[in-house]
Amino acid sequence: ATVECLRATYSSGINCVTFPFPLHMSEQQLLKPDEWSYCDYFWADRKDPQGSANISGFEVLLQKQLKGRQMQKEMAEFVRERIRIEEEYAKNLSKLSQIPLAAQEEGTLGEAWAQLKKSLADEAEVHLKFSSKLQSEVEKPLLIFRENFKKDMKKFDHHMADLRKQLTGRNAAVEKARKSLADRQKDLELKTQQLEIKLSSKIEEDIKKARRKSTQAGDDLMRCVDLYNQSQSKWFEEMVTSSLELERLEVERVEMIRQHLCQYTTLRHETDMFNQSTIEPVDKLLRSVDPAKDRELWVKEHKTGELRPVDMDI
Ligand SMILES: *[C@@H]1O[C@H](CO)[C@@H](O)[C@H](O)[C@H]1NC(C)=O
Ligand SMILES: *[C@@H]1O[C@H](CO)[C@@H](O)[C@H](O)[C@H]1NC(C)=O
Ligand SMILES: *[C@@H]1O[C@H](CO)[C@@H](O)[C@H](O)[C@H]1NC(C)=O
Ligand SMILES: *[C@@H]1O[C@H](CO)[C@@H](O)[C@H](O)[C@H]1NC(C)=O
């Protein structure tokens, strides 16, 4: 049917869709001017770069939907990796904070040192909270897809392909009727010429018959064009409503992802703030490190005797 359709394509038809002649193209207005709407820019088929098959404009839109879903999935995967790094970092910090290095340091310096080590555990806590919020508020929502997405896309695909197939079939019928009419007209012409050469009641009868057949072929063609028009108008309507639906889904997807990426940056800022606050007590204790006081404490605890030696008497 496709080959027949292509062979029969008339000047204004491309792949069985009738477009206006170039002269009348400028008379068409966009359905949604200034919106770059899907419903205005995907009427023609696209040549497949690999050669053989053409891709319909609607299929281009469907592929965008599938790609969008894949991108969303990959973003979730990326966030998962970010979570993993954060968890590992927290684990490393927590482990390090428990290593007893320099645990015997004393006095105000010892206190500051202990606080510094503890701050690592606090920081680890901050990073763990960040990772768990990333999971619940960014990764998980990104992994929620519209229910029945793939099924719906397939339904769209089949529906539009069926309408195109019907259009192709009816286009072929039009071409057949067109050819049939041409044949009938040629036949009628031939018989009329015969009558000019030789008047005969048999030929007159033949002409009557031929004229009737020609008229019938003309009616046939009208009927076929009518059916074709109906098909194309149905396809047109479905193209508009379906592409607008896909457009709505894409807007929804972009907005949803944007919202969750904003949540990522909010959480990240928060982490910096909490993270900073784990350091503050360390700074405070470092400011009160006092070598004199530490010496006093240490001496008091470890002194071995304050009686000084004196000179020997004879
Ligand atoms: C693809 O479309 C072009 C018109 O744009 C047509 O000439 C060509 O034959 C089509 N190819 C197939 C395989 O349908
Ligand atoms: C955690 O520590 C391990 C080994 O101690 C190291 O290989 C890894 O890079 C560290 N990870 C992070 C996120 O700091
Ligand atoms: C087909 O559609 C065109 C454009 O709408 C219209 O002018 C024409 O009358 C229709 N032809 C038939 C046979 O219905
Ligand atoms: C906070 O966390 C980052 C890593 O996410 C780290 O480089 C930084 O040293 C931490 N501490 C402070 C006080 O910002």
Side-chain angles (χ1 to χ4, degrees):
T2 311
V3 174
E4 196 174 337
C5 146
L6 289 173
R7 191 154 31 78
T9 302
Y10 40 100
S11 57
S12 60
I14 301 170
N15 297 342
C16 307
V17 179
T18 6
F19 291 103
F21 285 107
L23 199 64
H24 301 121
M25 276 177 190
S26 56
E27 287 169 13
Q28 270 195 358
Q29 303 269 315
L30 291 177
L31 297 171
K32 293 180 148 229
D34 304 323
E35 280 191 40
W36 290 99
S37 175
Y38 283 176
C39 74
D40 271 317
Y41 295 96
F42 293 89
W43 290 105
D45 294 342
R46 196 177 66 186
K47 265 204 188 110
D48 188 6
Q50 276 101 306
S52 52
N54 288 324
I55 305 170
S56 73
F58 192 72
E59 274 173 285
V60 173
L61 293 178
L62 282 175
Q63 280 171 7
K64 168 76 175 148
Q65 291 281 321
L66 295 176
K67 186 169 153 192
R69 186 185 155 100
Q70 179 62 22
M71 294 305 100
Q72 187 178 332
K73 234 180 182 168
E74 288 183 17
M75 281 180 196
E77 198 179 315
F78 187 92
V79 172
R80 173 100 287 270
E81 195 53 26
R82 181 76 179 83
I83 290 168
R84 203 193 54 71
I85 289 173
E86 214 57 35
E87 283 170 348
E88 191 181 316
Y89 186 68
K91 213 194 280 172
N92 283 3
L93 281 178
S94 165
K95 228 186 338 189
L96 185 58
S97 85
Q98 277 159 30
I99 288 179
L101 286 172
Q104 317 272 309
E105 184 56 68
E106 295 163 303
T108 54
L109 182 60
E111 276 169 43
W113 174 245
Q115 185 61 46
L116 188 145
K117 283 174 74 182
K118 182 179 175 300
S119 80
L120 263 60
D122 296 342
E123 231 181 287
E125 200 55 40
V126 170
H127 287 272
L128 266 187
K129 255 190 201 128
F130 177 47
S131 74
S132 108
K133 280 192 169 177
L134 271 185
Q135 188 177 12
S136 62
E137 293 172 29
V138 183
E139 186 202 5
K140 249 191 179 161
L142 279 177
L143 281 172
I144 297 171
F145 297 103
R146 258 168 48 84
E147 235 176 297
N148 296 327
F149 173 81
K150 286 202 163 156
K151 232 194 232 161
D152 287 350
M153 292 305 120
K154 236 178 218 143
K155 234 188 268 169
F156 272 127
D157 194 13
H158 288 160
H159 184 51
M160 298 310 297
D162 282 350
L163 290 174
R164 267 308 279 277
K165 221 181 270 166
Q166 192 184 56
L167 200 56
T168 302
R170 292 190 169 176
N171 186 76
V174 166
E175 292 315 318
K176 208 170 146 210
R178 207 185 285 282
K179 186 170 176 308
S180 177
L181 175 61
D183 289 348
R184 291 295 171 205
Q185 280 172 337
K186 211 179 275 166
D187 188 45
L188 177 61
E189 215 172 285
L190 210 76
K191 296 220 158 84
T192 312
Q193 277 166 10
Q194 279 173 6
L195 191 68
E196 274 165 18
I197 296 164
K198 178 171 155 257
L199 239 107
S200 119
S201 62
K202 166 145 190 339
I203 294 178
E204 267 181 18
E205 200 52 39
D206 280 357
I207 286 179
K208 254 190 213 157
K209 229 188 254 170
R211 188 167 287 134
R212 211 167 42 236
K213 279 186 176 168
S214 175
T215 308
Q216 207 170 42
D219 290 348
D220 245 23
L221 178 58
M222 282 286 280
R223 197 177 48 80
C224 285
V225 171
D226 200 28
L227 285 175
Y228 173 87
N229 280 355
Q230 283 172 26
S231 244
Q232 178 154 284
S233 133
K234 171 102 171 113
W235 174 70
F236 173 85
E237 274 169 32
E238 294 292 310
M239 271 291 279
V240 172
T241 47
S242 299
S243 60
L244 285 179
E245 173 65 6
L246 294 190
E247 181 174 298
R248 188 187 68 74
L249 289 177
E250 177 61 3
V251 168
E252 206 176 83
R253 182 187 79 95
V254 170
E255 277 177 352
M256 185 274 254
I257 291 179
R258 190 189 74 91
Q259 187 192 327
H260 291 114
L261 298 187
C262 282
Q263 187 58 15
Y264 169 82
T265 62
T266 302
L267 290 172
R268 184 65 189 77
H269 285 310
E270 254 176 41
T271 302
D272 271 353
M273 270 157 43
F274 289 135
N275 192 3
Q276 196 61 35
S277 73
T278 65
I279 298 303
E280 274 155 22
V282 181
D283 281 336
K284 195 169 155 229
L285 284 177
L286 282 175
R287 276 193 299 274
S288 39
V289 167
D290 179 354
K293 180 142 189 246
D294 281 6
R295 190 175 66 245
E296 177 191 330
L297 289 170
W298 186 80
V299 167
K300 275 181 180 161
E301 198 172 331
H302 298 281
K303 62 185 167 43
T304 59
E306 48 194 290
L307 277 181
R308 288 185 302 279
V310 292
D311 283 351
M312 194 188 278
D313 286 335
I314 302 179

